[in-house]
Amino acid sequence: MTGHEVSDAVDASIDEQPAAWALHRAVTTAALAEIDQRQAHHPTCALCGQRALKLDKLGLCSKVSEPHKKWRAETRAELATGRRR
Ligand SMILES: [Zn+2]
């Protein structure tokens, strides 16, 4: 394949992409909007703001990242000593 043929092939694939991307984006946006609407009444995590079907006793979502673990540990310690922030 010559350099010219390669650049023609690249041009052709770029030409086809905008429509595909626009369609993909429209579908994704619609799906996200629908999910957002359905979850609008769900509670949000006190730490990260993530919507969850159910929060744990400490008001957090089910994530187990370090900040979530730290929050749980600190909140449990505060509850144990009877003081709240
Ligand atoms: Zn969270």
Side-chain angles (χ1 to χ4, degrees):
M1 202 183 260
T2 68
H4 184 72
E5 282 168 342
V6 170
S7 82
D8 277 355
V10 170
D11 284 349
S13 71
I14 288 171
D15 282 348
E16 287 168 23
Q17 283 194 357
W21 274 110
L23 179 64
H24 183 72
R25 195 161 45 224
V27 169
T28 305
T29 304
L32 287 177
E34 196 192 317
I35 291 166
D36 211 44
Q37 199 172 31
R38 212 183 308 141
Q39 296 184 339
H41 65 286
H42 292 170
T44 55
C45 174
L47 181 56
C48 70
Q50 166 83 45
R51 280 201 196 103
L53 280 175
K54 201 164 172 281
L55 298 176
D56 66 17
K57 274 184 269 180
L58 305 175
L60 299 190
C61 68
S62 59
K63 285 181 193 165
V64 291
S65 65
E66 283 306 319
H68 285 75
K69 283 192 222 167
K70 190 160 173 268
W71 176 292
R72 288 189 186 101
E74 285 176 357
T75 307
R76 282 204 190 95
E78 282 167 11
L79 289 175
T81 58
R83 70 192 160 82
R84 301 291 301 264
R85 253 185 287 197

